Amino acid sequence: MLGDTTYDGTSSGDAAGGGRPGRRALILVENLSVPFDRRVWQECTTLRDAGWTVDVICPRGEQRDTEPEAVLDGVRIHRYPLRAAAGGPAGYLREYGSALWHTARLARAVGPVDVVHACNPPDLLFLPALWLKRRGARFVFDQHDLVPELYLSRFGRGEDLLYRAVCALERLTYRAADVVLATNESYRDVAIRRGGQWPEDVFVVRSAPRTDRFQPVPPEPELKRGKPHLLCYLGVMGPQDGVDYALRALAKLRDECGRTDWHAVFVGAGDAFDAMVELSRQLGLAGQVEFTGRIPDADLVRCLSTADVCLSPDPRNPLNDVSTMNKVLEYMAMGRPIVSFDLREARVSAGEAAVYAPANDEAAFAGLIAMLLDDPEKRARMGKIGQERVGGELSWRNSQRSLLAAYAAACRGRTPVPAGGPARRRAGRRRRP
């Protein structure tokens, strides 16, 4: 158990902050509720098992995580009401302003902590983090997304005034951070090169699927709706997620490859959901493509266990090329072969568990789907490779070690924050020139 020892043989108390009990962490999240945000929940439980007292501030969910306050498995969660952005950048400004106000209000109620751990987007959570730093906390910046790249990829407005603003906010966040958590080596390179961080202050904490959640079950042929094969997409449906590329590729699979021996299920939701349903209708795919929205875990596992091929259609853009896609790891955990566009971090994650079409080439994407449908032995080999990678080098065990090492680095040389005031420090933080 992680609460007894870490995986490198040191005691969890030592790994989590110099062997001193009673440390407190406050995790700030804006874009998802907790525990629905799987990465954040894994971090929470890892820290809890290592002896930390953990609080989380996050928005309420719409269908789950709706209570304003909850204690789950020893983690106290404080949730605030938040209306998701609509109407472009102005909508995001309204959303983020509301989130900041609620986050600051709840952070004051939580009180002094040893570490404030802020998860982006947006790159605005350094503001309440700075308030906590003045009261003795160390600031861990958990960079889930590269927001400048996200802005370019999502809005297509180029390097305009708002782009320069998000770049400035990212610089301020890096400047405030004592330690940075990066989701992969590409993000780590950005933190060092663009963020000016010392390499020893940047730790790679990869997202990893919960293996207890993703356990294959016997396939259910009825999910194929009378077809020989099932294709599956799992994930968010936003403008940058490539669901439109997948739908156009499926139209080419039917029209150019002459394949109608498949049914496709798209699982997930997002602000492009309605547009994707309409695009499916326009392409004449309504009879072969099913949109489920978000579904319970048991139904998701049934679908993935039955799928012959899984789709990762994220197009190459400034964000996707350097980002790790959760759906790729989840497909791999379920032993499913993947068709992906050729993205840098997609290859790092999936390796030979995927086949790769040239970036944004929908016809080639369709051709690779057809190739895999005709080769069950290759599909089985790819699925086995994916499961081995998720159970080995990409497992959460490795990220646990890195997370606890990051917290140890953040707290090194500092006594725990007492209930009534800031911690005493032994040495100031070094700054890169």
Side-chain angles (χ1 to χ4, degrees):
M1 179 178 174
L2 191 60
D4 298 325
T5 59
T6 63
Y7 291 96
D8 59 3
T10 60
S11 71
S12 61
D14 289 339
R20 300 183 182 92
R23 298 263 188 199
R24 298 188 67 199
L26 174 60
I27 300 181
L28 311 180
V29 189
E30 192 278 338
N31 65 333
L32 287 174
S33 64
V34 175
F36 180 71
D37 189 318
R38 187 194 70 241
R39 172 186 171 89
V40 172
W41 187 243
Q42 287 175 312
E43 291 171 332
C44 290
T45 55
T46 294
L47 292 167
R48 175 208 63 199
D49 290 346
W52 284 75
T53 298
V54 182
D55 286 77
V56 181
I57 296 174
C58 66
R60 295 180 197 170
E62 294 184 359
Q63 298 181 348
R64 55 172 293 177
D65 302 339
T66 57
E67 306 90 344
E69 186 162 327
V71 179
L72 299 176
D73 297 335
V75 176
R76 184 173 294 278
I77 306 170
H78 314 263
R79 303 190 184 108
Y80 54 85
L82 186 66
R83 179 175 297 178
Y92 281 91
L93 290 174
R94 288 191 294 271
E95 173 189 334
Y96 294 156
S98 175
L100 279 176
W101 185 84
H102 284 293
T103 298
R105 172 179 62 84
L106 291 169
R108 287 182 172 86
V110 170
V113 294
D114 295 276
V115 168
V116 53
H117 175 153
C119 308
N120 83 331
D123 286 339
L124 286 167
L125 294 176
F126 77 94
L127 294 169
L130 283 175
W131 182 83
L132 289 161
K133 280 193 72 170
R134 289 197 294 269
R135 283 148 182 81
R138 300 286 273 175
F139 176 27
V140 172
F141 173 37
D142 192 351
Q143 192 164 27
H144 292 191
D145 279 314
L146 300 176
V147 176
E149 283 80 356
L150 175 61
Y151 180 85
L152 291 174
S153 302
R154 185 177 180 91
F155 296 112
R157 295 162 59 102
E159 297 183 3
D160 61 0
L161 179 62
L162 281 174
Y163 171 79
R164 293 193 292 274
V166 298
C167 289
L169 290 172
E170 183 190 68
R171 286 194 299 271
L172 291 170
T173 301
Y174 279 134
R175 187 176 301 171
D178 297 296
V179 163
V180 174
L181 306 183
T183 57
N184 57 40
E185 292 293 341
S186 294
Y187 278 34
R188 183 175 186 270
D189 178 67
V190 170
I192 295 168
R193 174 179 46 83
R194 191 165 80 197
Q197 299 294 303
W198 291 94
E200 59 268 31
D201 291 335
V202 185
F203 296 79
V204 174
V205 177
R206 292 183 175 275
S207 297
R210 277 177 45 193
T211 54
D212 61 336
R213 181 189 180 202
F214 291 94
Q215 288 291 329
V217 299
E220 300 182 21
E222 59 270 22
L223 297 178
K224 300 183 181 184
R225 302 293 191 264
K227 300 290 186 177
H229 302 294
L230 181 67
L231 311 177
C232 186
Y233 172 90
L234 165 65
V236 177
M237 298 186 189
Q240 75 274 17
D241 294 305
V243 177
D244 54 333
Y245 283 80
L247 292 172
R248 289 190 293 267
L250 292 181
K252 292 180 184 296
L253 179 65
R254 177 196 60 197
D255 299 336
E256 298 180 13
C257 301
R259 302 293 295 257
T260 59
D261 56 343
W262 50 270
H263 179 71
V265 176
F266 283 70
V267 179
D271 51 9
F273 180 88
D274 292 338
M276 294 302 99
V277 173
E278 174 60 20
L279 177 60
S280 173
R281 187 193 64 77
Q282 292 172 4
L283 293 170
L285 294 170
Q288 281 188 271
V289 174
E290 176 184 356
F291 288 86
T292 68
R294 289 186 178 133
I295 59 177
D297 283 357
D299 293 337
L300 172 61
V301 167
R302 289 171 54 236
C303 184
L304 290 176
S305 296
T306 306
D308 297 286
V309 175
C310 287
L311 310 178
S312 183
D314 307 86
R316 180 180 289 168
N317 58 39
L319 179 68
N320 290 346
D321 195 41
V322 295
S323 296
T324 300
M325 305 302 172
N326 285 334
K327 59 179 167 285
V328 169
L329 300 171
E330 290 162 353
Y331 297 155
M332 293 164 64
M334 292 295 294
R336 301 297 93 189
I338 304 161
V339 178
S340 171
F341 288 123
D342 193 359
L343 307 178
R344 185 194 320 175
E345 284 295 333
R347 283 190 176 272
V348 170
S349 295
E352 295 180 7
V355 290
Y356 303 93
N360 307 354
D361 186 334
E362 296 158 359
F365 197 95
L368 289 175
I369 295 173
M371 179 270 291
L372 288 179
L373 293 181
D374 289 334
D375 196 340
E377 292 183 358
K378 183 176 180 65
R379 297 201 307 265
R381 287 195 304 272
M382 292 169 63
K384 184 177 180 181
I385 289 169
Q387 285 184 314
E388 290 173 349
R389 287 177 64 78
V390 167
E393 61 186 290
L394 300 179
S395 74
W396 179 246
R397 292 189 303 274
N398 294 328
S399 289
Q400 285 177 316
R401 286 195 291 265
S402 188
L403 174 65
L404 295 180
Y407 266 61
C411 293
R412 187 172 294 118
R414 298 172 71 88
T415 59
V417 171
R424 295 185 301 275
R425 68 185 66 200
R426 293 182 186 172
R429 186 193 176 210
R430 296 169 302 136
R431 291 283 182 187
R432 290 189 75 187

